[in-house]
Amino acid sequence: MKDKFSFKLIKQSGSARVGIIETPNGNIETPAFIFCATKAAIKAVDIERISESSTQIILSNTYHLMLQPGEDTVAKLGGLHKMMGWNRPMLTDSGGYQIFSLGHGSVSEEIKGTRKKQKTLIKINEDGAVFRSYINGKTYCLTPEKSIQIQQKLGADLILVLDECTPFHVSKEYTQRSMLMSHRWAERSLNEFEKSNHGKQALYGISQGGVYQDLRRESCDFINNLPFFGQAIGGSLGQSKEQMYDVVSFTMEHLKKDRPTHLLGIGGIVDIFHAVELGIDTFDCVHPTRLARHGGALIKAKNRDSISSKCKEHINLRNQQFELDDNPIESDCLCFTCRKHSRAYIHHLLKAKELLAYTLITIHNVFFMNKLMESIRQAILDDRLDQEKSNWASLDLAFS
């Protein structure tokens, strides 16, 4: 049954590579971007529009779905695929990132120094994470075994081991302790997975170790020596772009090359090009869809100069300059939004607080990201990734 999943390399250009991940619900051409359907929905857009935009794979969140509607309810409804009406590959994360954000605040909160949300984490110990539901205050314990059991009921094709994702401000000693615990959790996750593995799902291990090279090397060796289908790079990647690229580069040098490699939580255009150049195969991030809900529409570098600061990868359609702009978001974009509507119309919708605005911009941003990844794959096949980068990304953004 395990032959339902495979990873085949098609072409390598430098360290960048094009491949195919085969799953029971279809193939994923890599490099690929995975959109976040956190609570079994892409916010503001129906699944048909997501499919029409050439989306290959989406992900849902174990933590949120275990709280509402509950994994048993999802299973009774036939699993995530049937419940959502999505017949292509899916990934679920393990809940590990939520443990991090519950205990330490989100990455953005950490960098900005804000702490608005009440923390609901009670404790993390060897057994797992104990926390209160943000919905009704009920206490839960998420263990490695429970995370796998939930993900098996949710039914995504690709699933992840439970880990603790540490922030960058903790000590090396804490990072090491956390990494070793995450390793033990990974073994427990794998054991639980293999108890009832019927070939319908494949499990990813997660490299930890924060920004410390010796810990990263140790974690890579650990992941390499266990029979995971794929591998993800998790944990803190540092507090600057430069540090993130260094951590990813070093980690990639020490991970197995014959497995699909996923970079957790990265979705900027420049960041994707850097990571693809290092050999990353898949990415996930809320960035394209969250940006849309703030009025931000992604645009290529070559379309940026006359309307936007070079230091951004998007335009903000709330801005007054678009009030009478009857151009589409991008004149060379073939998405539904750009074929039918103008910047001025979307500007009006945003000002009027019409929900359609968020739908239209999200459709564009999803289409944009899929077109970006398609262009990257073709550029690798043609050995011209550097040339392609200049179409999409301003090079002065690299370390901003």
Side-chain angles (χ1 to χ4, degrees):
M1 295 291 283
K2 289 185 180 178
D3 60 0
K4 286 187 178 179
F5 289 90
S6 68
F7 178 56
K8 300 175 182 174
L9 278 179
I10 306 299
K11 168 73 183 281
Q12 188 153 335
S13 179
S15 294
R17 57 197 203 166
V18 169
I20 295 177
I21 301 172
E22 294 183 347
T23 83
N25 283 294
N27 295 346
I28 306 157
E29 296 180 13
T30 64
F33 188 83
I34 306 177
F35 295 93
C36 296
T38 302
K39 300 176 183 178
I42 305 276
K43 284 182 171 59
V45 181
D46 67 276
I47 207 68
E48 191 66 25
R49 255 31 67 195
I50 298 300
S51 182
E52 285 172 359
S53 299
S54 302
T55 300
Q56 300 189 79
I57 175 171
I58 60 178
L59 74 81
S60 286
N61 185 286
T62 294
Y63 164 77
H64 287 290
L65 292 174
M66 72 181 277
L67 298 181
Q68 192 178 66
E71 67 274 14
D72 290 329
T73 298
V74 175
K76 287 171 186 172
L77 293 171
L80 283 173
H81 287 91
K82 187 176 179 186
M83 187 173 90
M84 296 177 65
W86 177 256
N87 59 6
R88 297 179 188 177
M90 283 195 75
L91 178 146
T92 44
D93 61 8
S94 65
Y97 180 77
Q98 278 61 47
I99 293 172
F100 160 77
S101 59
L102 288 170
H104 301 286
S106 71
V107 174
S108 61
E109 286 171 341
E110 182 182 21
I111 292 169
K112 294 172 186 173
T114 56
R115 289 288 187 277
K116 290 182 182 177
K117 294 180 183 174
Q118 179 186 0
K119 296 189 180 72
T120 52
L121 182 69
I122 297 171
K123 63 180 177 179
I124 297 176
N125 58 26
E126 192 65 35
D127 189 42
V130 180
F131 59 90
R132 281 186 211 88
S133 166
Y134 65 89
I135 297 168
N136 58 19
K138 182 181 173 184
T139 299
Y140 288 80
C141 180
L142 185 61
T143 66
E145 293 80 10
K146 182 70 172 171
S147 174
I148 295 296
Q149 291 163 11
I150 293 168
Q151 291 184 82
Q152 288 173 330
K153 288 179 179 178
L154 296 176
D157 305 86
L158 307 175
I159 68 176
L160 271 62
V161 301
L162 184 66
D163 64 334
E164 185 195 5
C165 177
T166 55
F168 64 75
H169 63 67
V170 297
S171 67
K172 183 176 182 181
E173 290 70 29
Y174 182 98
T175 303
Q176 183 175 34
R177 285 197 307 273
S178 172
M179 177 192 77
L180 293 173
M181 184 176 73
S182 286
H183 288 175
R184 294 188 291 274
W185 284 5
E187 289 180 314
R188 288 165 56 190
S189 297
L190 183 61
N191 290 338
E192 184 65 29
F193 174 75
E194 290 180 337
K195 281 182 189 175
S196 52
N197 175 23
H198 303 300
K200 294 180 180 178
Q201 295 180 301
L203 184 64
Y204 277 54
I206 303 178
S207 154
Q208 289 289 340
V211 299
Y212 307 102
Q213 290 196 353
D214 55 337
L215 298 184
R216 281 284 174 186
R217 187 185 297 109
E218 182 180 347
S219 190
C220 290
D221 290 344
F222 174 83
I223 296 299
N224 290 342
N225 288 323
L226 289 174
F228 294 113
F229 170 74
Q231 56 209 8
I233 299 177
S236 171
L237 300 177
Q239 54 183 319
S240 68
K241 297 268 188 184
E242 191 164 13
Q243 192 172 30
M244 177 180 77
Y245 302 145
D246 287 345
V247 171
V248 174
S249 176
F250 181 84
T251 305
M252 288 301 291
E253 288 172 17
H254 292 86
L255 283 172
K256 276 190 167 184
K257 302 293 187 284
D258 59 351
R259 293 174 176 172
T261 304
H262 181 77
L263 184 56
L264 289 157
I266 299 299
I269 300 169
V270 170
D271 297 340
I272 285 175
F273 271 102
H274 271 279
V276 164
E277 288 167 350
L278 297 171
I280 295 290
D281 303 299
T282 53
F283 305 82
D284 78 88
C285 193
V286 298
H287 176 65
T289 47
R290 179 178 284 170
L291 185 67
R293 298 193 302 279
H294 290 85
L298 292 165
I299 54 172
K300 293 183 280 293
K302 63 181 183 180
N303 295 333
R304 230 173 267 161
D305 293 344
S306 60
I307 52 173
S308 171
S309 165
K310 284 189 177 182
C311 68
K312 290 185 178 176
E313 299 180 338
H314 67 275
I315 55 172
N316 186 345
L317 291 169
R318 293 181 186 277
N319 291 348
Q320 198 64 32
Q321 70 186 102
F322 300 113
E323 183 180 19
L324 297 174
D325 190 337
D326 63 359
N327 293 299
I329 295 171
E330 289 194 297
S331 59
D332 56 351
C333 178
L334 298 175
C335 79
F336 169 83
T337 302
C338 288
R339 284 186 286 111
K340 296 286 186 180
H341 300 296
S342 67
R343 296 169 181 165
Y345 178 57
I346 299 170
H347 171 81
H348 155 67
L349 295 176
L350 287 165
K351 289 291 186 183
K353 295 184 169 59
E354 286 289 345
L355 299 180
L356 179 58
Y358 312 123
T359 300
L360 293 178
I361 306 173
T362 302
I363 288 171
H364 169 77
N365 284 358
V366 168
F367 188 95
F368 179 99
M369 293 301 294
N370 285 328
K371 196 51 95 170
L372 166 67
M373 302 314 295
E374 182 186 317
S375 299
I376 284 174
R377 292 192 295 272
Q378 191 58 53
I380 295 170
L381 291 172
D382 298 339
D383 294 310
R384 55 173 184 80
L385 188 59
D386 268 348
Q387 182 184 334
E388 187 63 31
K389 186 195 295 186
S390 63
N391 291 329
W392 297 83
S394 298
L395 299 184
D396 55 346
L397 274 173
F399 296 110
S400 63

